[in-house]
Amino acid sequence: MPALLGSLLTALVPTASAAEEAAARVEICPGYTFVSAPEPELQEAEIRMICGFPEAEGTEDEAWTYVPRNQAVAALRAALQQRGYHRPAISESGDGLEIDPGPLTEVAEVEARGAPPGFDVSRRRGVVDELLTPEVLDTLESWSTETLQRLGFPCPRVSSAAGVEERRIVLDIDAGERRPFGPAYVRGAEEPLASQIARFHAFRSDWPYERTATDVTAARLVEEGVVESAQLVPVCAPGETGVIADIVPGAPRLLSLQLAFDTEEYLRLRGRFVRRAFPGDRLTMSEAAALASYRLQQLTASLRWYAAPAPSRSWIEPMLLLRRMDERPFELTTEQFQLSYGIDGVLPGMSWRLRVGPNIAAYQVHDGPGPDHATVLSARVEAEISSHRYILYRAGPQQGWSFDARAILADDGLASDFSARYFELGGVAHVDVFDDYPPSLGLGLRARVATTYTDGDAGELTPDLLHYLGGIADLRGFRRMSLAGGGPGALTRAFFSVEARPDLFTPAWEPLVFADVGALGDGSARLNGPVYWSIGVGLGWNSPLGPFRATLANGWAAGDDEGMQLFVGWGETF
């Protein structure tokens, strides 16, 4: 009796394996069935390449109404390979096909044959233990080509092959020879613009080729509004050297608008208008910009005139500035006019810029320290030097460094209401700790020191010559500019920050941990206690709507807990 009951139940109730097998059968189109789970999700276009498109009958796409069986199988295998299925079992079943995609294949090993010294394929993360797909091969070839060009080989040849059974990718590399940049040829731009491109080169023709310099050149041409887009590629014809600059000139006028938000300045708006012109064989770049937030409203207008023929890199630039600042320690309006002489240049792997000139400014202090009204005639000097890696990766810091210095010199005997000498020096460095890509651990360092010398009291100076700390710019555990050194403002400030950015999530998400330390001084070139500390965590997200970032930090002063500060920001920094 029990045996009879068991037979009855077996006949009436499907077994678990039978139910699973039924559930695994998924028909992608009539007669074409996946017979094992999980079913790869195919895109609509791929399904049409496999199954045909009956609705196309009588249209210009009528050829796709029916897809021959052998063509359907080829398209099906290609679609499965795109997803890491390299050993599918495809069998005919009546008028259709039964498809078992088989196991997924992951990359277990990558070998580089013929690689020159300095090239290490193991630096490229995101390949081993990833699905073996054509996309992974393309990514690896592209990264290898770029890396070889950054090592000084302008025209490498890289190909890849994958062994499915061994789960191994083999790169065949012919690095070619190292050679100089050679002459630069402009394509896509006519005179007089074509001859002006040389003013912005981050290389010299007799220097050894290195791709970062050409990428920096292209970025600078676009950022400064000289052209709409640019790409510099090496000449790879046998026996020839040189670089080709592919230029899209765009309109001579460029208008850009930016919108951002953060918890320090709230809504921030920026508008920028740039116009290029060519008086004779010279270049002028006129610019008008407006910046508005709760804390700062500013209008600037400038005209950069390259007075000497190309490739001269010097210019003369008059600039008019109107600014209103409403910070916690003060409220200040300023009208300034400055006439600058500027020059920039390049060294191997780095670029520098120097700007000097007189500045006349009228100040009105509505609230806070300083005179109600002041007129200041000063000499100003600004200098900056940056590695090309820093310039190239500025939007997403990975490697490189940058240092800047500034000086303002005013004397009450030369049309100024007071005497002051302001000096500032700062820098930033980014380190790829394990020298891999994408960086598994990035380290960022920031430091800045500034001091003001005066013959009188700090309260006689305008607030922009005094020093404050606090906020996202330096000490993230304190409110913006909330630390003034116990007086109207300090005469010296210094801070140092270090932050670690481990790659724990997807490339779009960037966590960080950081520590900031700073101090202020009530005398010139002198720091007093207390020492201010802040330690915190943060998270960045490169969202489809722009970068999002948030930090949460705790501040301490002389051992006393100052509480937590939350910063949230969205949009590009400007």
Side-chain angles (χ1 to χ4, degrees):
M1 185 69 178
L4 181 60
L5 251 153
S7 300
L8 255 163
L9 286 170
T10 301
L12 295 176
V13 182
T15 63
S17 61
E20 290 173 1
E21 185 178 341
R25 298 182 66 87
V26 177
E27 194 173 62
I28 59 173
C29 56
Y32 289 16
T33 306
F34 280 104
V35 296
S36 66
E39 170 224 355
E41 294 184 9
L42 303 182
Q43 297 177 359
E44 184 65 29
E46 293 173 318
I47 293 175
R48 290 183 179 183
M49 295 282 288
I50 297 166
C51 303
F53 186 32
E55 294 87 345
E57 189 171 359
T59 70
E60 60 182 12
D61 296 324
E62 188 171 6
W64 289 101
T65 302
Y66 169 76
V67 177
R69 180 69 56 81
N70 62 339
Q71 187 175 330
V73 171
L76 183 58
R77 290 186 182 277
L80 292 172
Q81 286 178 3
Q82 294 285 344
R83 292 156 177 80
Y85 295 97
H86 293 271
R87 288 169 285 185
I90 303 174
S91 59
E92 296 189 6
S93 176
D95 293 332
L97 294 174
E98 288 193 344
I99 309 131
D100 180 357
L104 287 165
T105 302
E106 295 181 348
V107 179
E109 181 186 0
V110 180
E111 178 187 355
R113 296 175 179 172
F119 180 87
D120 182 3
V121 73
S122 66
R123 292 182 54 242
R124 185 55 167 95
R125 300 172 58 233
V127 177
V128 174
D129 295 331
E130 296 294 320
L131 293 177
L132 179 56
T133 64
E135 182 182 0
V136 165
L137 296 179
D138 292 343
T139 298
L140 188 57
E141 287 185 15
S142 176
W143 174 83
S144 299
T145 299
E146 181 178 330
T147 300
L148 290 164
Q149 289 180 327
R150 299 203 190 284
L151 288 173
F153 300 95
C155 302
R157 296 179 182 178
V158 181
S159 62
S160 63
V164 174
E165 296 298 328
E166 302 88 354
R167 301 189 298 136
R168 182 173 64 176
I169 296 175
V170 177
L171 284 175
D172 283 315
I173 295 174
D174 178 5
E177 61 179 1
R178 286 189 168 99
R179 66 189 195 201
F181 283 98
Y185 306 98
V186 177
R187 187 165 59 189
E190 299 179 352
E191 294 296 347
L193 173 60
S195 61
Q196 306 299 322
I197 302 300
R199 297 185 191 271
F200 303 90
H201 286 171
F203 58 88
R204 293 179 181 167
S205 60
D206 57 339
W207 287 357
Y209 176 87
E210 199 275 321
R211 175 171 169 168
T212 304
T214 57
D215 288 347
V216 168
T217 302
R220 186 179 175 195
L221 285 166
V222 175
E223 287 173 5
E224 301 213 9
V226 182
V227 301
E228 183 177 310
S229 69
Q231 182 181 22
L232 278 73
V233 296
V235 174
C236 290
E240 296 186 18
T241 62
V243 174
I244 298 175
D246 283 315
I247 301 296
V248 177
R253 302 170 184 84
L254 173 67
L255 176 65
S256 61
L257 298 172
Q258 289 178 280
L259 174 68
F261 172 86
D262 65 51
T263 50
E264 285 191 346
E265 297 188 71
Y266 310 117
L267 187 66
R268 292 182 290 125
L269 299 169
R270 184 194 186 198
R272 181 172 179 246
F273 176 80
V274 179
R275 182 181 183 275
R276 67 172 186 260
F278 307 99
D281 59 352
R282 310 302 194 258
L283 169 67
T284 63
M285 300 291 296
S286 52
E287 177 178 335
L291 179 63
S293 71
Y294 177 76
R295 297 289 180 193
L296 173 67
Q297 301 88 49
Q298 178 174 294
L299 293 172
T300 59
S302 63
L303 176 66
R304 181 179 298 181
W305 177 39
Y306 289 87
S312 169
R313 306 175 75 100
S314 63
W315 69 88
I316 297 171
E317 183 176 23
M319 182 188 70
L320 178 67
L321 179 146
L322 307 175
R323 176 190 292 156
R324 176 182 178 271
M325 302 173 68
D326 187 5
E327 300 290 352
R328 287 186 176 88
F330 60 83
E331 182 182 351
L332 172 71
T333 56
T334 312
E335 298 89 36
Q336 293 185 26
F337 177 79
Q338 182 164 324
L339 182 63
S340 300
Y341 170 79
I343 185 170
D344 62 46
V346 291
L347 297 168
M350 65 190 77
S351 292
W352 58 268
R353 176 171 292 188
L354 175 67
R355 189 194 306 259
V356 299
N359 178 291
I360 180 72
Y363 294 91
Q364 184 174 359
V365 180
H366 305 281
D367 188 25
D372 292 341
H373 299 273
T375 301
V376 179
L377 175 65
S378 62
R380 302 203 173 197
V381 182
E382 298 176 4
E384 181 181 6
I385 185 167
S386 303
S387 74
H388 288 161
R389 293 294 178 95
Y390 173 83
I391 298 171
L392 186 62
Y393 298 122
R394 188 158 36 199
Q398 296 178 16
Q399 297 178 355
W401 50 264
S402 179
F403 295 97
D404 62 89
R406 186 160 66 110
I408 302 173
L409 308 174
D411 192 287
D412 59 5
L414 295 173
S416 292
D417 290 341
F418 54 77
S419 294
R421 295 168 299 283
Y422 176 101
F423 301 98
E424 181 176 345
L425 176 65
V428 59
H430 299 290
V431 181
D432 180 355
V433 176
F434 297 111
D435 193 27
D436 51 8
Y437 183 86
S440 54
L441 178 61
L443 195 66
L445 307 171
R446 293 186 301 157
R448 189 161 296 275
V449 59
T451 191
T452 303
Y453 292 87
T454 178
D455 297 336
D457 185 80
E460 299 175 0
L461 302 177
T462 54
D464 61 337
L465 294 175
L466 299 177
H467 302 275
Y468 306 88
L469 288 174
I472 195 67
D474 37 59
L475 300 183
R476 287 165 277 192
F478 299 85
R479 291 184 307 161
R480 175 184 171 100
M481 297 180 71
S482 62
L483 305 175
L491 287 176
T492 303
R493 82 179 189 273
F495 84 90
F496 175 76
S497 296
V498 58
E499 66 181 40
R501 300 182 293 269
D503 184 9
L504 300 179
F505 309 120
T506 67
W509 292 90
E510 184 181 75
L512 61 95
V513 294
F514 59 84
D516 311 319
V517 59
L520 295 165
D522 59 7
S524 303
R526 186 180 68 213
L527 296 173
N528 309 115
V531 175
Y532 304 99
W533 289 86
S534 62
I535 297 176
V537 296
L539 182 66
W541 175 37
N542 293 317
S543 77
L545 299 177
F548 169 89
R549 61 196 187 283
T551 62
L552 181 65
N554 200 100
W556 289 271
D560 295 330
D561 191 334
E562 297 291 324
M564 305 289 289
Q565 287 295 318
L566 173 67
F567 173 87
V568 177
W570 164 80
E572 298 287 350
T573 301
F574 53 81

